[in-house]
Amino acid sequence: KAEPTMKVARDKAVRRRMTVLQHNFGFEKPYKVLCDGTFLQAALEVKMYLKEELPKVMQAPCNPIVTNCIRDELRRLGDDVSGASLIAKRFTCVRCSCEAKNARACVAQLIGERNADHYMVATQDIKLRRQLRSVPGVPLLFITHGKVALEHLSETTTQEARDNELRKNRPTEKEVKVISKRKRAPVAEPDGDASDRGEEGG
């Protein structure tokens, strides 16, 4: 009984977090999931088929993506990660223009300061996750206890979402002008009663 209850709670948390990202950062389905070599290797070790697992966890279609830097790094690491290298070859590849040929630097460069292309990042690299938490609107996935998990939204992301909501609820410049005009408009004097009119007529 505990496992189904936990799954319901996890699913709700994912929906809640993705709603924030959709409304405030423009995320759309299918989600683009940028997977690095550490994530692919971890999935392989627990015999996880990511093309099935990611849509299940995210409750939406997902497109797993790698970069040529990620593929190159896995190839250089040799036999120990040959399985992960094969998986990377089956995923959509984004051609990057990195000079470092380093997967961590490549992912950080692709995300940039605003994650304009709305990537989710799937990585076991703690240093990379820590770095990306400072960028607003970057959902982070990792594998724990044989399952894919979506991290809590970072404080940077949460704060920007709050600021967006405040901006949306703030009156526009046009609305402010209309309100100001109404405040300045003179209040019309009411007509006098019948006795007043009679006195004026007399």
Side-chain angles (χ1 to χ4, degrees), residues 166-184:
L166 287 172
R167 278 194 291 272
K168 285 177 192 173
N169 294 327
R170 198 176 292 151
T172 63
E173 199 174 320
K174 188 177 178 182
E175 288 168 340
V176 168
K177 284 179 181 175
V178 170
I179 293 164
S180 297
K181 279 181 183 176
R182 282 179 183 166
K183 283 181 179 176
R184 288 198 302 268

Side-chain angles (χ1 to χ4, degrees), residues 13-159:
V14 166
R15 285 196 296 273
R16 191 168 58 248
R17 290 165 198 166
M18 292 315 297
T19 297
V20 171
L21 292 161
Q22 286 165 355
H23 289 176
N24 294 282
F25 298 95
F27 276 75
E28 293 179 350
K29 302 168 189 175
Y31 299 134
K32 294 184 287 187
V33 185
L34 183 57
C35 306
D36 75 356
T38 65
F39 186 80
L40 299 181
Q41 183 63 24
L44 192 67
E45 286 170 4
V46 294
K47 299 180 173 58
M48 184 185 291
Y49 184 52
L50 289 172
K51 285 193 174 181
E52 283 182 3
E53 191 65 21
L54 288 171
K56 215 183 289 179
V57 171
M58 298 311 304
Q59 303 155 65
C62 292
N63 182 17
I65 292 168
V66 293
T67 67
N68 46 303
C69 275
I70 290 167
R71 283 182 175 178
D72 289 346
E73 186 171 89
L74 286 168
R75 195 161 46 243
R76 285 197 306 274
L77 290 169
D79 293 345
D80 288 346
V81 292
S82 58
S85 187
L86 283 172
I87 295 169
K89 286 178 184 175
R90 298 182 192 132
F91 287 175
T92 302
C93 184
V94 173
R95 306 302 298 176
C96 63
S97 55
C98 300
E99 292 180 8
K101 300 295 179 189
N102 172 283
R104 181 189 292 157
C106 173
V107 171
Q109 183 176 308
L110 208 58
I111 296 301
E113 293 181 2
R114 302 297 306 173
N115 192 17
D117 291 317
H118 308 116
Y119 290 113
M120 304 186 75
V121 177
T123 179
Q124 302 300 102
D125 184 338
I126 293 169
K127 188 174 179 180
L128 177 59
R129 292 211 304 267
R130 191 181 300 128
Q131 183 179 347
L132 294 179
R133 285 183 200 122
S134 66
V135 181
V138 184
L140 298 169
L141 293 164
F142 63 104
I143 293 170
T144 179
H145 304 299
K147 298 180 188 300
V148 174
L150 175 66
E151 263 197 15
H152 289 278
L153 298 182
S154 70
E155 184 53 39
T156 308
T157 295
T158 306
Q159 187 57 54

